[in-house]
Amino acid sequence: MSAQPAMLLELKGVETYYGSIQALKGISIEVREGEIVTLIGANGAGKSTTLRSINGLNHPRKGTISFQGRDITHDAPHSIVKRGIAQSPEGRKLFPRMSVTENLEMGAFQRSDRGAIREDMERVFTLFPRLAERRTQKAGTMSGGEQQMCAIGRALMARPTLLMLDEPSMGLAPIFVERIFETIVEVNKQGTSILLVEQNALMALHVANRGYVLETGTVALADDAKALAQNPQVRKTYLGEI
């Protein structure tokens, strides 16, 4: 048997609140080096809160989050980016009046290695040729699919070890959904581990190695992605089968 890849990210018993409302009730998940791991579940299940707990925007009250063996549970968001975790947020959150290039540069704001930044910009343009054509265009004037490409590209400009994607296919035309998922696979092949939150459970489980099903702030199921895609409960609840 081959050895398992090294642990990259590990959440143990994470409990996160919004005021007095408990959103996560003891979540434990892990991402190993080289994996695509997906979180699926209904709206309000705790998927985005899990990402907010990891990226430092909403610190857990209980439990631990470790990245590359170091405890980051209470680290500030900017230091988490510096450690190697970047996120493309739900709703894209681009700077609409800035150009595509300027938005991408914002992803590298903590870096000073100019030559490598230029290389990464070219990498993003290779992954998303459409962005290369629109590099001087204001981000807010592009289509939803193009904006999503720009948001993922901006996260990649931080040169992350772990890329977190929050609902990358939301509101996109089918042709863009396919392109986004092809790119997720390509980015992963290039060596970036991915934690993917996605409403489109079928597509998510198709590209992922493993998955977790969240229900009201708890992990209801955890398995190999192929096994989850075949699970009758998952097929009925999340894949729309009767």
Side-chain angles (χ1 to χ4, degrees):
M1 265 179 65
S2 58
Q4 269 199 311
M7 183 72 72
L8 188 62
L9 175 79
E10 188 172 21
L11 280 67
K12 282 185 183 169
V14 169
E15 298 185 15
T16 304
Y17 290 74
Y18 292 105
S20 61
I21 297 163
Q22 187 170 5
L24 299 183
K25 302 165 184 171
I27 293 251
S28 295
I29 68 169
E30 58 184 50
V31 180
R32 292 183 176 271
E33 284 180 5
E35 281 192 316
I36 300 178
V37 173
T38 186
L39 306 180
I40 61 173
N43 279 338
K47 304 185 302 294
S48 292
T49 306
T50 301
L51 298 191
R52 288 176 66 85
S53 301
I54 296 164
N55 67 22
L57 289 174
N58 204 331
H59 295 304
R61 284 195 200 168
K62 280 189 186 166
T64 57
I65 301 171
S66 56
F67 182 66
Q68 294 178 320
R70 185 186 179 280
D71 189 331
I72 60 162
T73 314
H74 300 291
D75 284 10
H78 68 272
S79 71
I80 287 170
V81 173
K82 210 159 200 169
R83 295 222 154 267
I85 299 177
Q87 180 172 343
S88 171
E90 183 182 350
R92 304 185 270 278
K93 310 277 195 300
L94 294 176
F95 299 96
R97 295 186 179 182
M98 287 164 65
S99 70
V100 166
T101 300
E102 288 166 337
N103 269 278
L104 293 176
E105 285 169 349
M106 290 302 286
F109 80 102
Q110 293 202 80
R111 295 173 56 185
S112 53
D113 48 341
R114 295 202 173 280
I117 290 171
R118 272 197 300 276
E119 278 171 32
D120 286 347
M121 183 84 71
E122 287 313 310
R123 176 195 177 202
V124 169
F125 288 145
T126 304
L127 282 168
F128 298 115
R130 210 177 268 251
L131 291 184
E133 294 163 13
R134 289 162 171 67
R135 61 180 78 198
T136 59
Q137 191 171 328
K138 282 191 171 70
T141 64
M142 298 195 299
S143 73
E146 290 160 350
Q147 288 187 31
Q148 186 60 62
M149 291 172 179
C150 192
I152 293 173
R154 180 179 61 186
L156 287 172
M157 289 299 294
R159 203 174 260 197
T161 310
L162 176 67
L163 174 63
M164 301 200 299
L165 300 172
D166 195 355
E167 303 288 8
S169 80
M170 187 182 270
L172 302 189
I175 188 161
F176 274 119
V177 173
E178 216 155 285
R179 182 76 194 92
I180 293 293
F181 275 95
E182 282 168 10
T183 307
I184 290 169
V185 170
E186 182 55 36
V187 167
N188 179 247
K189 274 186 190 153
Q190 291 176 8
T192 307
S193 303
I194 293 171
L195 181 58
L196 169 66
V197 163
E198 179 53 62
Q199 254 344 114
N200 188 333
L202 191 61
M203 290 289 275
L205 291 170
H206 180 67
V207 301
N209 302 99
R210 292 186 305 105
Y212 294 88
V213 178
L214 301 193
E215 284 177 10
T216 56
T218 61
V219 174
L221 285 167
D223 210 336
D224 178 80
K226 285 188 177 64
L228 283 176
Q230 297 305 319
N231 181 302
Q233 186 189 337
V234 172
R235 293 181 80 87
K236 186 179 170 191
T237 312
Y238 303 106
L239 307 184
E241 295 190 3
I242 306 304

Coordinates of all heavy atoms in Angstrom, one line a residue, residues 6 27 45 68 80 82 88 108 128 134 136-137 145 150 172 191 242:
A6 N 0.7 13.8 2.8 CA 0.8 14.5 4.0 C -0.4 15.3 4.3 O -1.1 15.8 3.4 CB 2.0 15.4 4.0
I27 N -17.3 20.5 13.8 CA -16.9 20.0 12.5 C -15.5 19.5 12.5 O -14.6 20.2 13.0 CB -17.0 21.1 11.5 CG1 -18.5 21.5 11.3 CG2 -16.4 20.8 10.2 CD1 -19.1 21.2 10.0
A45 N -26.2 25.1 5.7 CA -25.7 23.9 6.4 C -24.3 24.1 7.1 O -23.9 23.4 7.9 CB -25.4 22.8 5.3
Q68 N -0.6 22.8 7.7 CA 0.8 22.3 7.6 C 1.4 22.1 9.0 O 2.6 22.5 9.2 CB 1.7 23.3 6.8 CG 1.3 23.4 5.3 CD 2.0 24.4 4.5 OE1 2.3 25.5 5.0 NE2 2.4 24.0 3.3
I80 N -3.0 34.3 7.4 CA -3.4 33.0 6.9 C -3.2 33.0 5.4 O -2.7 32.0 4.8 CB -4.9 32.8 7.2 CG1 -5.0 32.4 8.7 CG2 -5.5 31.6 6.4 CD1 -6.4 32.3 9.3
K82 N -0.8 34.7 3.9 CA 0.7 34.6 3.9 C 1.2 33.2 4.1 O 2.1 32.8 3.5 CB 1.3 35.6 4.9 CG 2.6 36.1 4.5 CD 2.9 37.4 5.2 CE 4.0 38.2 4.5 NZ 4.2 39.5 5.0
S88 N -11.4 32.3 -3.2 CA -12.2 33.0 -4.2 C -13.6 33.0 -3.5 O -14.2 31.9 -3.4 CB -12.2 32.2 -5.5 OG -13.2 32.8 -6.4
A108 N -1.9 39.6 -5.2 CA -0.5 39.4 -4.9 C 0.0 40.6 -4.0 O 1.2 40.8 -3.9 CB 0.3 39.4 -6.2
F128 N -7.0 31.1 -18.2 CA -8.2 31.8 -18.6 C -7.9 32.8 -19.8 O -7.7 34.0 -19.6 CB -8.8 32.6 -17.5 CG -9.2 31.8 -16.3 CD1 -8.5 32.0 -15.1 CD2 -10.2 30.9 -16.4 CE1 -8.9 31.2 -14.0 CE2 -10.6 30.2 -15.2 CZ -10.0 30.3 -14.0
R134 N -9.2 40.5 -22.1 CA -9.9 41.6 -21.4 C -9.0 42.3 -20.3 O -9.6 42.8 -19.3 CB -11.2 41.1 -20.8 CG -12.2 40.8 -21.8 CD -13.3 39.9 -21.3 NE -14.4 39.8 -22.3 CZ -14.4 39.2 -23.4 NH1 -13.2 38.6 -23.8 NH2 -15.4 39.1 -24.2
T136 N -7.4 44.9 -19.8 CA -7.5 46.3 -19.5 C -9.0 46.7 -19.2 O -9.3 47.8 -18.9 CB -7.0 47.2 -20.6 OG1 -7.8 46.8 -21.8 CG2 -5.5 46.9 -20.9
Q137 N -9.9 45.7 -19.3 CA -11.3 46.0 -19.2 C -11.7 46.1 -17.7 O -11.1 45.4 -16.8 CB -12.2 44.9 -19.8 CG -13.6 45.2 -19.9 CD -14.4 44.1 -20.7 OE1 -13.8 43.6 -21.7 NE2 -15.6 43.9 -20.4
G145 N -19.5 34.9 -15.8 CA -18.5 33.8 -15.9 C -17.1 34.4 -16.0 O -16.1 33.8 -15.4
C150 N -11.9 35.8 -13.1 CA -11.0 36.8 -12.5 C -10.9 36.6 -11.0 O -9.8 36.7 -10.4 CB -11.6 38.2 -12.8 SG -10.5 39.5 -12.5
L172 N -23.9 30.9 -13.1 CA -23.2 30.9 -14.4 C -24.0 30.1 -15.4 O -24.6 29.1 -15.1 CB -21.8 30.4 -14.2 CG -20.9 31.1 -13.2 CD1 -19.5 30.6 -13.4 CD2 -20.9 32.6 -13.4
G191 N -0.5 21.3 -8.9 CA 0.1 21.2 -7.5 C -0.6 21.9 -6.4 O -0.1 21.9 -5.3
I242 N -35.3 11.0 -7.5 CA -36.4 10.6 -6.7 C -36.2 9.3 -6.1 O -35.8 8.3 -6.8 CB -37.7 10.6 -7.6 CG1 -37.9 11.9 -8.4 CG2 -38.9 10.3 -6.8 CD1 -38.0 13.2 -7.5

